[in-house]
Structures are given as structure tokens and as C-alpha cells.
Amino acid sequence: MLRIGTACGSGLGSSFMVQMNIESVLRDLGVSDVHVEHYDLGGANPSEADVWIVGRDLADSATHLGDVRVLNSIIDMDELQELVTAICQEKGLI
């Protein structure tokens, strides 16, 4: 199972929105073997997810998490769909 983590400053607002949007993209793709969870950046642990998705504003602060993918806009569904699709292809899920 692939684990995707999203992170923001507080772990409540934007990371939760991105989590819900990722889950929506995964449903559209028909991919079910992925667990998505949101975290606050300060408490996020690299072992909690295989891939991390954060907004551009947190890119420099999230490097300690390992495999970090950066969104230029956390509200751009087209960008998110492209990113999630690419991750799923990389991991052999589609």
C-alpha cells in the first residue's frame, strides 16, 4: 500500500483540503491501494508516508521528509491530478 502524506503549517486547513482532493483524484483514477493522511509540518515524520505533497511555500521546510512533491498551487485540481497520476504511474498502481 502506498502512503501519501500532506503537510501544512498547522495540519488542519490546507493539508486536509489537499488530502480530500487527492482522495478524489484517486477515486477518479480507480486507484484504491493508497492511504492519504494530513499532518502539521512540525510533527510530520518521514516514516509516516512514502510520498509527501506540500505547497510551494513549504518546499524548503519539508526537505527532511524524504520524497517531497511540490504543488505550485494547492487549489489547482489539474496540477494535483497530474501529480497524483504521475506518482501512481511511478509506483505501478496504474
Coordinates of all heavy atoms in Angstrom, one line a residue:
M1 N 0.8 -1.2 0.0 CA 0.0 0.0 0.0 C 0.9 1.2 0.0 O 1.8 1.4 0.8 CB -0.9 0.0 1.2 CG -1.6 1.4 1.4 SD -3.0 1.5 2.5 CE -4.1 0.3 1.9
L2 N 0.6 2.2 -0.9 CA 1.3 3.4 -1.0 C 0.7 4.4 0.1 O -0.5 4.5 0.2 CB 1.1 4.0 -2.4 CG 1.7 5.4 -2.6 CD1 3.3 5.4 -2.5 CD2 1.3 6.0 -3.9
R3 N 1.6 5.1 0.8 CA 1.1 6.1 1.7 C 1.5 7.5 1.3 O 2.7 7.7 1.0 CB 1.7 5.8 3.1 CG 1.3 4.5 3.7 CD 2.1 4.1 4.9 NE 3.5 4.1 4.6 CZ 4.5 4.5 5.4 NH1 4.2 4.8 6.6 NH2 5.8 4.4 5.0
I4 N 0.5 8.4 1.1 CA 0.8 9.7 0.7 C 0.5 10.6 1.9 O -0.6 10.5 2.5 CB -0.1 10.2 -0.5 CG1 0.3 9.3 -1.7 CG2 0.1 11.7 -0.8 CD1 -0.5 9.6 -3.0
G5 N 1.4 11.5 2.3 CA 1.2 12.5 3.3 C 1.1 13.9 2.8 O 1.8 14.2 1.8
T6 N 0.2 14.7 3.3 CA 0.2 16.1 3.0 C 0.5 16.8 4.3 O 0.2 16.4 5.4 CB -1.2 16.5 2.5 OG1 -2.2 16.4 3.5 CG2 -1.6 15.7 1.3
A7 N 1.1 18.0 4.1 CA 1.5 18.7 5.3 C 1.3 20.2 5.1 O 1.5 20.7 4.0 CB 3.0 18.5 5.7
C8 N 1.0 20.9 6.2 CA 0.9 22.3 6.2 C 1.3 22.8 7.5 O 1.7 22.0 8.4 CB -0.5 22.8 5.8 SG -1.8 22.5 7.0
G9 N 1.3 24.1 7.7 CA 1.8 24.7 9.0 C 1.1 24.2 10.2 O 1.7 23.9 11.2
S10 N -0.2 24.0 10.1 CA -1.0 23.6 11.3 C -1.5 22.2 11.3 O -1.9 21.6 12.3 CB -2.2 24.5 11.6 OG -3.1 24.4 10.5
G11 N -1.5 21.6 10.1 CA -2.0 20.2 9.9 C -3.5 20.2 9.9 O -4.1 19.1 10.0
L12 N -4.2 21.3 9.7 CA -5.6 21.3 9.8 C -6.3 21.8 8.5 O -7.1 21.1 7.9 CB -6.1 22.2 10.9 CG -5.7 21.8 12.3 CD1 -6.1 22.9 13.3 CD2 -6.4 20.5 12.7
G13 N -5.9 23.0 8.0 CA -6.6 23.6 6.9 C -6.2 23.1 5.5 O -6.8 22.2 5.0
S14 N -5.1 23.6 5.0 CA -4.8 23.3 3.6 C -4.4 21.9 3.4 O -4.7 21.3 2.4 CB -3.7 24.3 3.1 OG -2.5 24.2 3.9
S15 N -3.7 21.2 4.4 CA -3.3 19.8 4.2 C -4.5 18.9 4.2 O -4.5 17.9 3.5 CB -2.3 19.4 5.3 OG -2.9 19.5 6.6
F16 N -5.5 19.2 5.0 CA -6.7 18.4 5.0 C -7.5 18.6 3.6 O -8.0 17.6 3.1 CB -7.6 18.8 6.1 CG -8.8 17.9 6.3 CD1 -8.8 16.6 6.3 CD2 -10.1 18.5 6.3 CE1 -9.9 15.8 6.4 CE2 -11.2 17.7 6.4 CZ -11.1 16.4 6.5
M17 N -7.5 19.8 3.1 CA -8.1 20.1 1.8 C -7.4 19.3 0.7 O -8.0 18.6 -0.1 CB -8.1 21.6 1.5 CG -8.7 21.9 0.2 SD -8.3 23.6 -0.4 CE -6.6 23.4 -0.8
V18 N -6.1 19.3 0.7 CA -5.3 18.6 -0.3 C -5.5 17.1 -0.1 O -5.6 16.4 -1.1 CB -3.8 19.0 -0.2 CG1 -3.0 18.1 -1.1 CG2 -3.6 20.5 -0.5
Q19 N -5.6 16.6 1.1 CA -5.9 15.2 1.3 C -7.2 14.8 0.7 O -7.3 13.8 -0.1 CB -6.0 14.9 2.8 CG -6.4 13.4 3.1 CD -6.7 13.1 4.5 OE1 -6.2 13.9 5.4 NE2 -7.4 12.0 4.8
M20 N -8.2 15.6 0.9 CA -9.6 15.3 0.3 C -9.5 15.3 -1.2 O -10.1 14.5 -1.9 CB -10.6 16.2 0.9 CG -10.9 16.0 2.3 SD -12.3 16.9 3.0 CE -11.9 18.6 2.6
N21 N -8.8 16.3 -1.7 CA -8.6 16.4 -3.2 C -7.8 15.2 -3.8 O -8.2 14.7 -4.9 CB -8.0 17.8 -3.6 CG -9.0 18.9 -3.3 OD1 -10.2 18.7 -3.2 ND2 -8.4 20.1 -3.3
I22 N -6.8 14.8 -3.1 CA -6.0 13.6 -3.5 C -6.9 12.4 -3.6 O -6.9 11.6 -4.5 CB -4.8 13.4 -2.6 CG1 -3.8 14.5 -2.8 CG2 -4.2 12.0 -2.9 CD1 -2.7 14.4 -1.8
E23 N -7.7 12.2 -2.5 CA -8.6 11.1 -2.5 C -9.6 11.1 -3.6 O -10.0 10.1 -4.2 CB -9.3 11.0 -1.1 CG -8.4 10.7 0.0 CD -8.9 10.9 1.4 OE1 -9.9 11.6 1.6 OE2 -8.3 10.3 2.4
S24 N -10.1 12.3 -4.0 CA -11.0 12.5 -5.1 C -10.3 12.1 -6.4 O -10.9 11.3 -7.2 CB -11.5 13.9 -5.1 OG -12.3 14.1 -6.3
V25 N -9.1 12.5 -6.6 CA -8.3 12.1 -7.8 C -8.1 10.6 -7.8 O -8.3 10.0 -8.9 CB -7.0 12.9 -7.8 CG1 -6.1 12.3 -9.0 CG2 -7.2 14.4 -8.0
L26 N -7.8 10.0 -6.7 CA -7.6 8.6 -6.7 C -8.8 7.8 -7.1 O -8.8 6.8 -7.8 CB -7.1 8.1 -5.3 CG -5.6 8.6 -4.9 CD1 -5.4 8.4 -3.5 CD2 -4.6 7.9 -5.8
R27 N -10.0 8.3 -6.6 CA -11.3 7.7 -6.9 C -11.5 7.8 -8.4 O -11.9 6.8 -9.1 CB -12.4 8.3 -6.2 CG -12.6 7.8 -4.8 CD -14.0 8.2 -4.2 NE -14.1 9.7 -4.1 CZ -13.6 10.4 -3.1 NH1 -12.9 9.8 -2.1 NH2 -13.7 11.7 -3.1
D28 N -11.2 9.0 -9.0 CA -11.4 9.2 -10.4 C -10.5 8.2 -11.2 O -10.9 7.8 -12.3 CB -11.1 10.6 -10.8 CG -12.2 11.6 -10.3 OD1 -13.3 11.1 -9.9 OD2 -11.9 12.8 -10.3
L29 N -9.3 8.0 -10.7 CA -8.4 7.1 -11.4 C -8.7 5.6 -11.2 O -8.1 4.8 -11.8 CB -6.9 7.4 -10.9 CG -6.3 8.7 -11.3 CD1 -5.0 8.9 -10.6 CD2 -6.1 8.9 -12.8
G30 N -9.5 5.3 -10.2 CA -9.8 3.9 -9.9 C -8.7 3.3 -9.1 O -8.6 2.0 -9.1
V31 N -7.9 4.1 -8.4 CA -6.8 3.5 -7.6 C -7.3 3.5 -6.1 O -7.7 4.5 -5.5 CB -5.6 4.4 -7.7 CG1 -4.5 3.9 -6.8 CG2 -5.1 4.4 -9.2
S32 N -7.2 2.3 -5.5 CA -7.7 2.1 -4.2 C -6.6 1.8 -3.1 O -6.9 1.8 -1.9 CB -8.8 1.1 -4.1 OG -8.3 -0.2 -4.6
D33 N -5.5 1.4 -3.6 CA -4.4 0.9 -2.7 C -3.5 2.0 -2.2 O -2.3 1.8 -2.2 CB -3.6 -0.2 -3.4 CG -2.9 -1.1 -2.4 OD1 -3.4 -1.2 -1.2 OD2 -1.9 -1.8 -2.7
V34 N -4.1 3.1 -1.8 CA -3.4 4.3 -1.4 C -4.0 4.8 -0.1 O -5.2 5.0 -0.1 CB -3.3 5.4 -2.4 CG1 -2.5 6.6 -1.9 CG2 -2.7 4.9 -3.7
H35 N -3.2 5.1 0.9 CA -3.7 5.7 2.1 C -3.2 7.1 2.2 O -2.0 7.4 2.0 CB -3.2 4.9 3.4 CG -3.7 5.6 4.6 ND1 -5.0 5.5 5.1 CD2 -3.0 6.3 5.5 CE1 -5.0 6.2 6.2 NE2 -3.8 6.7 6.5
V36 N -4.1 8.1 2.4 CA -3.7 9.5 2.4 C -4.0 10.1 3.8 O -5.1 9.8 4.3 CB -4.5 10.3 1.3 CG1 -4.0 11.8 1.3 CG2 -4.4 9.7 0.0
E37 N -3.0 10.8 4.3 CA -3.2 11.4 5.7 C -2.6 12.8 5.7 O -1.7 13.1 4.9 CB -2.6 10.5 6.7 CG -2.9 10.9 8.1 CD -4.4 10.8 8.4 OE1 -5.0 9.7 8.3 OE2 -5.0 11.9 8.8
H38 N -3.1 13.7 6.5 CA -2.6 15.0 6.6 C -1.9 15.2 7.9 O -2.3 14.6 8.9 CB -3.7 16.1 6.4 CG -4.8 16.1 7.4 ND1 -5.8 15.1 7.4 CD2 -5.0 16.8 8.5 CE1 -6.6 15.4 8.4 NE2 -6.1 16.4 9.1
Y39 N -0.9 16.1 7.9 CA -0.1 16.3 9.1 C 0.3 17.8 9.2 O 0.3 18.5 8.2 CB 1.3 15.5 9.0 CG 1.1 14.0 8.8 CD1 0.9 13.5 7.6 CD2 1.0 13.2 10.0 CE1 0.8 12.1 7.4 CE2 0.9 11.8 9.8 CZ 0.7 11.3 8.6 OH 0.6 9.9 8.4
D40 N 0.7 18.2 10.4 CA 1.4 19.5 10.5 C 2.9 19.3 10.3 O 3.4 18.3 10.6 CB 1.1 20.1 11.9 CG 1.9 19.4 13.0 OD1 1.4 18.4 13.5 OD2 3.0 19.9 13.4
L41 N 3.4 20.3 9.6 CA 4.8 20.1 9.1 C 5.8 19.9 10.3 O 6.7 19.0 10.2 CB 5.3 21.3 8.3 CG 6.6 21.2 7.6 CD1 6.6 20.1 6.6 CD2 6.9 22.5 6.9
G42 N 5.6 20.5 11.4 CA 6.5 20.4 12.5 C 6.4 19.0 13.2 O 7.5 18.5 13.7
G43 N 5.3 18.3 13.1 CA 5.2 17.0 13.7 C 5.2 15.9 12.7 O 5.2 14.7 13.1
A44 N 5.4 16.2 11.4 CA 5.4 15.1 10.4 C 6.7 14.3 10.5 O 7.8 14.9 10.7 CB 5.3 15.7 9.0
N45 N 6.6 13.0 10.4 CA 7.8 12.1 10.5 C 8.0 11.5 9.1 O 7.0 11.0 8.5 CB 7.5 11.1 11.5 CG 8.7 10.2 11.8 OD1 9.3 9.7 10.8 ND2 8.9 9.9 13.0
P46 N 9.2 11.4 8.6 CA 9.4 10.8 7.2 C 8.8 9.4 7.1 O 8.4 9.0 6.0 CB 10.9 10.8 7.1 CG 11.4 11.9 8.0 CD 10.4 11.9 9.1
S47 N 8.8 8.7 8.2 CA 8.3 7.3 8.1 C 6.8 7.1 8.0 O 6.3 6.0 7.8 CB 8.8 6.5 9.4 OG 8.2 7.0 10.5
E48 N 6.1 8.2 8.1 CA 4.6 8.2 8.1 C 4.1 8.1 6.7 O 2.9 7.8 6.5 CB 4.0 9.4 8.9 CG 4.3 9.3 10.3 CD 3.9 10.5 11.1 OE1 4.2 11.7 10.6 OE2 3.4 10.4 12.2
A49 N 4.9 8.4 5.7 CA 4.4 8.4 4.3 C 5.5 8.1 3.4 O 6.7 8.4 3.6 CB 3.8 9.7 3.9
D50 N 5.2 7.5 2.2 CA 6.2 7.1 1.2 C 6.4 8.4 0.3 O 7.5 8.5 -0.2 CB 5.6 6.0 0.3 CG 5.3 4.8 1.1 OD1 6.2 4.3 1.9 OD2 4.1 4.3 1.1
V51 N 5.4 9.2 0.1 CA 5.5 10.4 -0.7 C 4.8 11.5 0.0 O 3.7 11.3 0.6 CB 4.8 10.2 -2.1 CG1 4.9 11.4 -2.9 CG2 5.5 9.0 -2.9
W52 N 5.4 12.7 0.0 CA 4.8 13.8 0.7 C 4.4 14.9 -0.4 O 5.2 15.1 -1.3 CB 5.7 14.4 1.7 CG 6.0 13.6 2.8 CD1 6.9 12.6 3.0 CD2 5.3 13.6 4.1 NE1 6.8 12.0 4.2 CE2 5.8 12.6 4.9 CE3 4.2 14.4 4.6 CZ2 5.3 12.3 6.2 CZ3 3.7 14.1 5.8 CH2 4.3 13.1 6.6
I53 N 3.2 15.5 -0.2 CA 2.8 16.6 -1.1 C 2.6 17.8 -0.3 O 1.8 17.8 0.7 CB 1.5 16.2 -1.9 CG1 1.8 14.9 -2.7 CG2 1.0 17.3 -2.7 CD1 0.6 14.4 -3.5
V54 N 3.3 18.9 -0.7 CA 3.2 20.1 0.1 C 3.1 21.3 -0.9 O 3.4 21.1 -2.1 CB 4.4 20.4 1.0 CG1 4.6 19.3 2.0 CG2 5.7 20.6 0.2
G55 N 2.6 22.4 -0.4 CA 2.6 23.6 -1.2 C 3.9 24.2 -1.4 O 4.8 24.0 -0.6
R56 N 4.1 25.0 -2.4 CA 5.3 25.7 -2.8 C 5.9 26.4 -1.6 O 7.1 26.5 -1.4 CB 5.1 26.6 -4.0 CG 6.2 27.6 -4.3 CD 7.4 27.1 -5.1 NE 7.1 26.2 -6.2 CZ 7.8 25.2 -6.5 NH1 8.9 24.9 -5.9 NH2 7.5 24.4 -7.6
D57 N 5.0 27.1 -0.8 CA 5.5 27.9 0.4 C 6.2 27.0 1.4 O 7.0 27.6 2.2 CB 4.3 28.6 1.0 CG 3.2 27.7 1.5 OD1 3.0 26.7 0.8 OD2 2.6 28.0 2.6
L58 N 6.0 25.7 1.4 CA 6.6 24.8 2.4 C 7.7 24.0 1.9 O 8.3 23.1 2.6 CB 5.6 24.0 3.1 CG 4.5 24.7 3.9 CD1 3.5 23.7 4.5 CD2 5.1 25.5 5.0
A59 N 8.1 24.1 0.6 CA 9.0 23.2 -0.1 C 10.4 23.2 0.7 O 10.9 22.1 0.9 CB 9.2 23.7 -1.5
D60 N 10.9 24.3 1.0 CA 12.2 24.4 1.7 C 12.1 23.8 3.1 O 13.1 23.2 3.6 CB 12.7 25.8 1.8 CG 13.1 26.3 0.4 OD1 13.3 25.5 -0.5 OD2 13.2 27.6 0.3
S61 N 11.0 23.9 3.8 CA 10.8 23.4 5.2 C 10.5 21.9 5.2 O 10.6 21.3 6.3 CB 9.7 24.1 5.9 OG 9.9 25.5 5.8
A62 N 10.2 21.3 4.1 CA 9.8 19.9 4.1 C 10.8 18.9 3.6 O 10.6 17.7 3.5 CB 8.5 19.8 3.2
T63 N 12.0 19.4 3.3 CA 13.0 18.5 2.7 C 13.4 17.4 3.6 O 13.8 16.3 3.1 CB 14.3 19.3 2.3 OG1 14.8 20.0 3.5 CG2 14.0 20.4 1.2
H64 N 13.2 17.5 4.9 CA 13.6 16.4 5.8 C 12.6 15.2 5.7 O 12.9 14.2 6.2 CB 13.6 16.9 7.2 CG 12.2 17.3 7.8 ND1 11.5 18.4 7.4 CD2 11.4 16.6 8.6 CE1 10.3 18.4 8.0 NE2 10.2 17.3 8.7
L65 N 11.5 15.4 5.0 CA 10.5 14.3 4.9 C 10.9 13.2 3.8 O 10.2 12.2 3.8 CB 9.1 14.9 4.6 CG 8.6 15.8 5.7 CD1 7.3 16.4 5.3 CD2 8.4 14.9 7.0
G66 N 11.8 13.5 3.0 CA 12.2 12.5 2.0 C 11.7 12.8 0.6 O 12.1 13.8 0.0
D67 N 10.8 11.9 0.1 CA 10.3 12.1 -1.2 C 9.2 13.1 -1.2 O 8.0 12.8 -0.9 CB 9.8 10.8 -1.8 CG 9.3 10.9 -3.2 OD1 9.3 12.0 -3.8 OD2 8.9 9.8 -3.8
V68 N 9.5 14.4 -1.4 CA 8.6 15.5 -1.3 C 8.2 16.0 -2.7 O 9.1 16.3 -3.5 CB 9.1 16.7 -0.5 CG1 8.1 17.8 -0.5 CG2 9.4 16.2 0.9
R69 N 6.9 16.1 -3.0 CA 6.5 16.7 -4.3 C 5.8 18.0 -4.0 O 5.1 18.1 -3.0 CB 5.5 15.7 -5.0 CG 5.9 14.3 -5.0 CD 7.2 14.1 -5.9 NE 7.6 12.7 -5.8 CZ 7.3 11.7 -6.7 NH1 6.6 12.0 -7.7 NH2 7.8 10.5 -6.5
V70 N 6.1 19.0 -4.8 CA 5.6 20.3 -4.5 C 4.6 20.8 -5.5 O 4.7 20.6 -6.7 CB 6.8 21.3 -4.6 CG1 6.4 22.7 -4.3 CG2 7.9 20.9 -3.6
L71 N 3.5 21.3 -4.9 CA 2.4 21.9 -5.7 C 2.6 23.4 -5.8 O 2.8 24.1 -4.8 CB 1.1 21.7 -5.1 CG 0.5 20.2 -5.1 CD1 -0.7 20.2 -4.2 CD2 0.2 19.8 -6.5
N72 N 2.6 24.0 -7.1 CA 2.7 25.4 -7.2 C 1.4 26.1 -6.7 O 1.5 27.2 -6.1 CB 2.9 25.8 -8.7 CG 4.2 25.4 -9.2 OD1 5.2 25.7 -8.5 ND2 4.3 24.8 -10.3
S73 N 0.3 25.4 -6.8 CA -1.0 25.9 -6.3 C -1.7 24.8 -5.6 O -2.1 23.8 -6.3 CB -1.8 26.5 -7.4 OG -3.1 26.8 -6.9
I74 N -2.0 24.9 -4.4 CA -2.7 23.8 -3.7 C -4.2 23.7 -4.1 O -4.9 22.8 -3.7 CB -2.5 23.8 -2.2 CG1 -3.2 25.1 -1.6 CG2 -1.1 23.7 -1.8 CD1 -3.3 25.2 -0.1
I75 N -4.7 24.7 -4.8 CA -6.1 24.7 -5.2 C -6.3 24.3 -6.7 O -7.4 24.3 -7.1 CB -6.8 26.0 -4.8 CG1 -6.1 27.2 -5.5 CG2 -6.9 26.2 -3.3 CD1 -6.9 28.5 -5.4
D76 N -5.2 24.1 -7.4 CA -5.3 23.8 -8.8 C -5.5 22.3 -9.0 O -4.6 21.5 -8.8 CB -4.0 24.2 -9.5 CG -4.0 24.0 -11.0 OD1 -4.9 23.2 -11.5 OD2 -3.2 24.6 -11.7
M77 N -6.7 21.9 -9.2 CA -7.1 20.4 -9.3 C -6.4 19.8 -10.5 O -6.0 18.6 -10.5 CB -8.6 20.2 -9.4 CG -9.3 20.4 -8.1 SD -8.7 19.2 -6.8 CE -9.3 17.7 -7.4
D78 N -6.2 20.5 -11.6 CA -5.5 20.0 -12.8 C -4.0 19.6 -12.4 O -3.5 18.5 -12.8 CB -5.5 20.9 -14.0 CG -6.9 21.1 -14.5 OD1 -7.7 20.1 -14.4 OD2 -7.2 22.1 -15.1
E79 N -3.4 20.5 -11.7 CA -2.0 20.3 -11.3 C -1.9 19.1 -10.4 O -1.1 18.2 -10.5 CB -1.4 21.5 -10.6 CG 0.1 21.3 -10.2 CD 0.6 22.4 -9.3 OE1 -0.1 23.4 -9.0 OE2 1.8 22.4 -9.1
L80 N -2.9 19.0 -9.4 CA -2.9 17.9 -8.5 C -3.2 16.6 -9.2 O -2.5 15.6 -8.9 CB -3.9 18.1 -7.4 CG -4.0 17.1 -6.3 CD1 -2.7 17.1 -5.5 CD2 -5.2 17.3 -5.3
Q81 N -4.1 16.6 -10.1 CA -4.4 15.4 -10.9 C -3.2 14.9 -11.6 O -2.9 13.7 -11.6 CB -5.6 15.6 -11.8 CG -5.9 14.3 -12.5 CD -7.3 14.4 -13.2 OE1 -8.0 15.4 -13.2 NE2 -7.7 13.3 -13.9
E82 N -2.4 15.8 -12.3 CA -1.2 15.4 -13.0 C -0.2 14.8 -12.0 O 0.4 13.8 -12.3 CB -0.6 16.6 -13.7 CG -1.3 17.0 -14.9 CD -0.6 18.2 -15.6 OE1 0.6 18.4 -15.4 OE2 -1.3 19.0 -16.2
L83 N 0.0 15.4 -10.9 CA 1.0 15.0 -9.9 C 0.6 13.6 -9.3 O 1.4 12.7 -9.3 CB 1.1 16.0 -8.8 CG 2.1 15.6 -7.6 CD1 3.5 15.5 -8.2 CD2 2.0 16.6 -6.5
V84 N -0.7 13.4 -8.9 CA -1.1 12.1 -8.3 C -1.0 11.0 -9.4 O -0.6 9.9 -9.1 CB -2.5 12.3 -7.7 CG1 -3.0 10.9 -7.3 CG2 -2.5 13.2 -6.5
T85 N -1.4 11.4 -10.6 CA -1.4 10.4 -11.7 C 0.1 9.9 -11.9 O 0.4 8.7 -12.1 CB -1.9 11.0 -13.0 OG1 -3.3 11.3 -12.8 CG2 -1.9 10.0 -14.2
A86 N 1.0 10.9 -12.0 CA 2.4 10.6 -12.1 C 3.0 9.7 -11.0 O 3.7 8.7 -11.3 CB 3.2 11.9 -12.2
I87 N 2.6 10.0 -9.8 CA 3.0 9.2 -8.6 C 2.5 7.8 -8.8 O 3.2 6.8 -8.6 CB 2.5 9.9 -7.3 CG1 3.3 11.2 -7.0 CG2 2.7 8.9 -6.1 CD1 2.7 12.0 -5.9
C88 N 1.2 7.7 -9.1 CA 0.6 6.3 -9.2 C 1.3 5.5 -10.4 O 1.5 4.3 -10.3 CB -0.9 6.4 -9.5 SG -1.8 7.0 -8.1
Q89 N 1.6 6.2 -11.5 CA 2.3 5.5 -12.5 C 3.7 5.1 -12.1 O 4.1 4.0 -12.4 CB 2.4 6.5 -13.8 CG 1.1 6.6 -14.5 CD 1.1 7.7 -15.6 OE1 1.9 8.6 -15.5 NE2 0.2 7.6 -16.5
E90 N 4.5 6.0 -11.4 CA 5.8 5.6 -10.9 C 5.7 4.4 -10.0 O 6.7 3.6 -10.0 CB 6.4 6.8 -10.1 CG 6.9 8.0 -10.8 CD 7.3 9.1 -9.9 OE1 7.6 8.8 -8.7 OE2 7.2 10.3 -10.3
K91 N 4.7 4.3 -9.2 CA 4.6 3.3 -8.2 C 3.9 2.0 -8.7 O 3.7 1.0 -8.0 CB 3.8 3.7 -6.9 CG 4.5 5.0 -6.3 CD 5.9 4.8 -5.8 CE 6.4 6.0 -5.1 NZ 7.8 5.8 -4.7
G92 N 3.6 2.0 -10.0 CA 3.0 0.9 -10.7 C 1.5 0.6 -10.3 O 1.1 -0.5 -10.4
L93 N 0.8 1.6 -9.9 CA -0.6 1.5 -9.5 C -1.5 1.6 -10.6 O -2.7 1.2 -10.6 CB -0.9 2.4 -8.3 CG -0.1 2.3 -7.1 CD1 -0.4 3.4 -6.1 CD2 -0.4 0.9 -6.4
I94 N -1.1 2.3 -11.7 CA -1.9 2.4 -12.9 C -1.0 2.2 -14.1 O 0.2 2.3 -14.1 CB -2.6 3.7 -13.0 CG1 -1.7 4.9 -12.9 CG2 -3.7 3.8 -12.0 CD1 -2.3 6.3 -13.2

